[in-house]
Each structure stands twice: as structure tokens, then as C-alpha cells.
Amino acid sequence: MNILILGSGGREHTFAWKLSQSDKCQNLFVAPGNSGTTQIATNIPIDVNDFEGIKEIVLKNDITMVVVGPEDPLVNGIHDFFLNDEALKLVNVIGPQKAAAQLEGSKEFAKEFLYRHNIPTAAYESFTKETLDKGYTFLETLKPPYVLKADGLAAGKGVLIIEDINEAKNELKKMLVDSKFGQASTKVVIEEFLSGIELSCFVLTDEDNYKILPTAKDYKRIGEGDTGLNTGGMGAVSPVPFVDDEFMQKVENRVVKPTIEGLKKDNLPYKGFVFIGLIKVGDDPFVIEYNVRMGDPETEVVFPRIQNDLVEIFQAMGDGRLKDIELKVTPKAATTIMLVSGGYPEAYDKGMEINGLDKIEESIPFHAGAQLKEGKVITSGGRVMAITSYGETYKEAIKKSYQNIEKLHFDKMYYRKDIGFDL
Ligand code: AMP
Ligand code: GLY
């Protein structure tokens, strides 16, 4: 079978690494891909939102499975585009259709879904420019800190958590009236603040059945001790040590089942990954957000632990046979540490050569913002590379990653040295 992966990050390199291990995978393509994927697949320089261009690649290369990495093409309706095209409609697209992708594309849509299906989540109300005054009044009914969320996609930057009520009101006005996040903040969701520890739960669904993948925890802040600006993720650990069977049973009964049943009841077709951002408050799970794709860098620790043939899993999803798959997961821990370019998530340089990759032992370097140029691997993004290791415990795995990172170098390389500190 010929397979196309859409995207260019560490997540997509991990998918490629895993899919390429399958006997069922004949030709693997990644669009646009990076320096990691080019070693195991054919990179095709095309944008993930160029649907006509992607159609051409699929037809030319006899591709029958498309795995969508990032959210943008899903929110823009790539799955619907395939279903509505005579020549493409039988291609197995891994990712939900546009209507269901609104779970990530609109915070208000997600909150309404959560409420409609009685899934535990923070209390909220949403506001527009016209209801700004009501927004101020709602803020006054809440206790600090105040959680303000731009309704639409804002590249992970649209959530503000603010201590001071006047500052919160001011930011609300900036979002609604001054378009702080452009189109994304024409609507703002204001939420009750929940205090607890966060984790991510990943679910595969073929619409009728679901499989819960290993849990993971990512580290979103740039600075040690979870300080500083939010990033795409600076490291991840799987499994999450503070999650036990009893808690997972609550997650399954209160969150996963009603989510999958809710998608069906609401007629939201969904073959793909549901990424459920959870917060554990006391001993109870609450949903912070849905994403309609895998997490990055969570993919870099979740998939290395899955022992099944990934092509078989995706085929079963396409055919509605997911219930026949028995998921095999190694009991070993996997951890990843993200190497970033100094300055990220603000301004940073690109084009620096990465040295030492040939010296890595017992870790897997998943390339993210890195490209091959004249035989050299050079940085091309803020998050450059995720160094994944296994261990009997997460501590052992983390140690292995740090030992290997010592051998790597690029100008202004930065990484957090405290991944796992809070576990
Ligand atoms: P989101 O994009 O909705 O996941 O929000 C980004 C981050 O903001 C989350 O990972 C949490 O750390 C934090 N957050 C969002 N909503 C809440 C909430 N209701 N209570 C506490 N923290 C929150
Ligand atoms: N690591 C968080 C995300 O992928 O959204």
C-alpha cells in the first residue's frame, strides 16, 4: 500500500518511523516532511492546505491512505474534500470531517458539545463585541485567575490566564474589539479556572468503536519549573505516573464514552484521533480542551510504546473494524526532550547546522524543524528535534535522553533540563 502523511513536525516523523516498519507499507510519502522523514520516506514539497496539489500526488502515486498530522487541513475540510471527489472518495483518510474538527476549531463549539453530553468541564460563557458589557459582568462573578480563550484557532496562543480583574477586562476588550487574535477572537470563551495537574488522553475511533492509547503528559512552558511563555511542547512522558486504573476508568466512563457517543448522536463523522486535554482536580477528570489530531511531542512518546503494526490499525479504522484490534503497549516508559532554537517561542534564528546525530545511541532523534541541505541537517523551525528514549522507569528514560543530548550541538540550542520534575 502507498501511504501519504501530511505535516512536517516530530509528530509526522514519528508516524513515518512507525508506518515504515510495516510490511504492508510499500511507498511512503510525506508532504512536506523534514530531514527525518526524508531518510525513510519520499518528501514532497507541498503545503498541507493545498488540497488540489495533494489530490494530484495521491492520484499520481496510487496512494490509498492519507494520515493527516496537523489540525489546519482537518478544520479546512480535507476529509470532506476527499469524500466529495469521485477519484478520491475511497482513499482512507485518517482524521475527522470538517464538522467534527470544529471540536478544535471552535472553543465555543467544544464547550457546547461538552455541556450537551454532560461531560465534566469548567463552567463558561461566551461573548462577542456586542456583549462585551455582559462579559465584564460575568468576569465579576468569577474568582481569579480568569481564563479567556479566543474561540478560533490561534496557533496555541489564544488562551490567557490572568490574575487581575481589570487586566482581564482590558484583555477581553482587546480580543473582542481590537481583534487581538484576528478572526479567532471575534468570540471569546470565559471559563472558570480549574486547579489540578494536566495530562493528555488519546483515543482512536472509527465512529463505532474506540481504543484508548497510552496517556502522556507534556511540558508546555519554555522555562524550567513550568515558567515563562507557552510553547508547542518542550518534552513529554508516557505513561503518566500519577494515573492509575481507577482514574482511567473514570476517564473512560465520564469522558471517552460520552464523547464517542456524543459524536454519533450529533451526526459528526469521525475517523481519527481524539486528543482530550484533561485536568485532574482532586481525583476527578475534567476536560480542558479537545484537539482533533495527535499531540506533538506526545506522539513521540505514545507511538514508540505501541507494538502493533500501525498500518493495520489505520486499515481497521478505515474499514470500521477497530474493535478487532488488540492494542499492544510496552510496559516500558518513553520520554522525549525537545531541543529548540534559542529565543523560541519568540524570534529565533534558522539555518544552523546540527552536529552529533551520528553519535546518538539508544535514543531516537525525531526531527521537527529540521531540513536536509547539501547533505547537512540544519534547523528550520523553533522546535528542532525531539530526543526519545525508553526506560524501565520514566527517570531512566529521561536520563538516557539527556545523556544523548550532550552529544548534540547547534548554535543557540536550548532545552529544559527538568522534564519530569513534578512527577
Ligand atoms: P487550551 O488551549 O484550552 O488547552 O488551554 C491552554 C492551557 O491553558 C491549558 O493547557 C491549561 O494549562 C490552561 N487552561 C485552559 N483552561 C483552563 C481552565 N479552565 N482552568 C485552568 N487552566 C486552564
Ligand atoms: N503538545 C500539545 C499539542 O500538541 O497541542
Side-chain angles (χ1 to χ4, degrees):
M1 165 185 311
N2 297 340
I3 304 172
L4 170 66
I5 301 169
L6 296 179
S8 62
R11 168 181 50 210
E12 288 75 21
H13 185 196
T14 312
F15 283 150
W17 170 81
K18 187 76 185 146
L19 289 169
S20 67
Q21 291 166 16
S22 169
D23 294 338
K24 295 194 164 69
C25 176
Q26 262 172 322
N27 295 299
L28 184 60
F29 301 89
V30 188
N34 61 31
S35 49
T37 61
T38 196
Q39 294 167 22
I40 47 180
T42 305
N43 283 357
I44 302 182
I46 195 158
D47 189 87
V48 294
N49 288 305
D50 178 0
F51 295 174
E52 288 296 339
I54 291 167
K55 173 178 174 177
E56 220 169 280
I57 297 169
V58 167
L59 295 179
K60 186 170 148 221
N61 296 290
D62 217 357
I63 286 163
T64 53
M65 181 187 286
V66 175
V67 182
V68 186
E71 63 277 16
D72 286 38
L74 294 167
V75 173
N76 293 336
I78 191 161
H79 197 152
D80 312 62
F81 174 84
F82 272 67
L83 288 174
N84 293 329
D85 189 300
E86 255 332 285
L88 299 177
K89 67 180 185 195
L90 295 179
V91 174
N92 178 14
V93 178
I94 302 297
Q97 289 172 49
K98 186 172 182 165
Q102 283 298 98
L103 282 180
E104 178 162 0
S106 162
K107 299 275 188 203
E108 185 186 47
F109 181 91
K111 293 300 279 192
E112 285 173 350
F113 179 91
L114 288 160
Y115 263 62
R116 188 159 57 244
H117 300 294
N118 289 313
I119 301 168
T121 190
Y124 81 105
E125 276 188 38
S126 50
F127 301 93
T128 60
K129 187 160 74 178
E130 286 72 34
T131 55
L132 179 63
D133 285 334
K134 288 198 174 118
Y136 292 158
T137 311
F138 183 62
L139 281 171
E140 280 162 10
T141 68
L142 298 173
K143 287 195 226 87
Y146 306 94
V147 183
L148 270 49
K149 300 186 174 182
D151 177 61
L153 290 182
K157 296 192 172 79
V159 175
L160 303 178
I161 298 184
I162 301 168
E163 280 296 330
D164 180 71
I165 179 101
N166 291 321
E167 196 190 332
K169 286 182 179 173
N170 201 19
E171 285 295 336
L172 180 66
K173 180 161 173 280
K174 277 195 206 155
M175 288 166 93
L176 291 173
V177 181
D178 309 332
S179 308
K180 176 164 180 158
F181 297 105
Q183 267 295 107
S185 65
T186 47
K187 230 182 241 170
V188 172
V189 169
I190 302 180
E191 277 188 22
E192 158 202 24
F193 180 83
L194 296 175
S195 183
I197 185 156
E198 288 177 61
L199 67 142
S200 305
C201 169
F202 301 98
V203 182
L204 270 176
T205 180
D206 64 5
E207 285 174 35
D208 290 316
N209 313 283
Y210 66 85
K211 295 279 167 192
I212 301 179
L213 301 178
T215 54
K217 181 179 188 335
D218 84 334
Y219 290 79
K220 287 202 177 80
R221 303 294 197 90
I222 188 74
E224 280 160 21
D226 285 341
T227 54
L229 293 174
N230 251 328
T231 71
M234 297 296 292
V237 175
S238 176
V240 180
F242 59 80
V243 167
D244 58 17
D245 289 347
E246 196 186 336
F247 181 74
M248 271 322 281
Q249 204 57 58
K250 288 183 192 169
V251 170
E252 181 162 8
N253 291 336
R254 298 180 194 175
V255 177
V256 176
K257 274 190 192 151
T259 296
I260 303 302
E261 282 163 13
L263 290 168
K264 257 196 279 186
K265 280 187 203 150
D266 294 353
N267 199 17
L268 296 170
Y270 205 121
K271 274 182 205 281
F273 295 101
V274 194
F275 167 169
I276 311 176
L278 293 170
I279 187 161
K280 184 171 180 259
V281 181
D283 283 324
D284 295 315
F286 287 77
V287 175
I288 290 274
E289 66 163 348
Y290 286 113
N291 295 305
V292 296
R293 51 173 173 86
M294 274 303 294
D296 193 349
E298 291 93 328
T299 304
E300 290 93 303
V301 293
V302 169
F303 279 89
R305 295 188 61 226
I306 294 175
Q307 293 169 314
N308 303 63
D309 181 324
L310 189 56
V311 177
E312 274 176 24
I313 295 182
F314 286 161
Q315 275 179 320
M317 280 170 70
D319 301 343
R321 293 183 289 102
L322 194 57
K323 66 172 180 315
D324 298 341
I325 297 281
E326 194 196 330
L327 210 58
K328 291 187 221 94
V329 178
T330 175
K332 282 189 188 156
T335 63
T336 201
I337 313 289
M338 190 63 80
L339 307 181
V340 307
S341 184
Y344 171 83
E346 297 183 287
Y348 56 83
D349 289 336
K350 296 179 189 176
M352 287 90 75
E353 187 180 348
I354 304 164
N355 290 304
L357 283 165
D358 52 324
K359 298 193 187 74
I360 289 191
E361 283 163 30
E362 288 189 81
S363 289
I364 315 166
F366 289 118
H367 298 211
Q371 292 290 339
L372 203 58
K373 198 176 172 191
E374 290 155 13
K376 290 175 182 163
V377 181
I378 60 161
T379 73
S380 62
R383 292 195 298 167
V384 171
M385 203 162 280
I387 310 300
T388 293
S389 310
Y390 296 100
E392 294 307 321
T393 62
Y394 75 87
K395 284 186 180 156
E396 191 186 305
I398 287 172
K399 197 168 150 201
K400 239 185 255 176
S401 286
Y402 284 129
Q403 278 167 350
N404 274 303
I405 289 170
E406 300 268 301
K407 305 173 198 166
L408 292 173
H409 174 79
F410 57 87
D411 200 24
K412 301 198 187 111
M413 177 172 112
Y414 169 80
Y415 57 96
R416 272 181 64 170
K417 297 179 184 66
D418 69 339
I419 298 304
F421 79 99
D422 55 339
L423 299 175

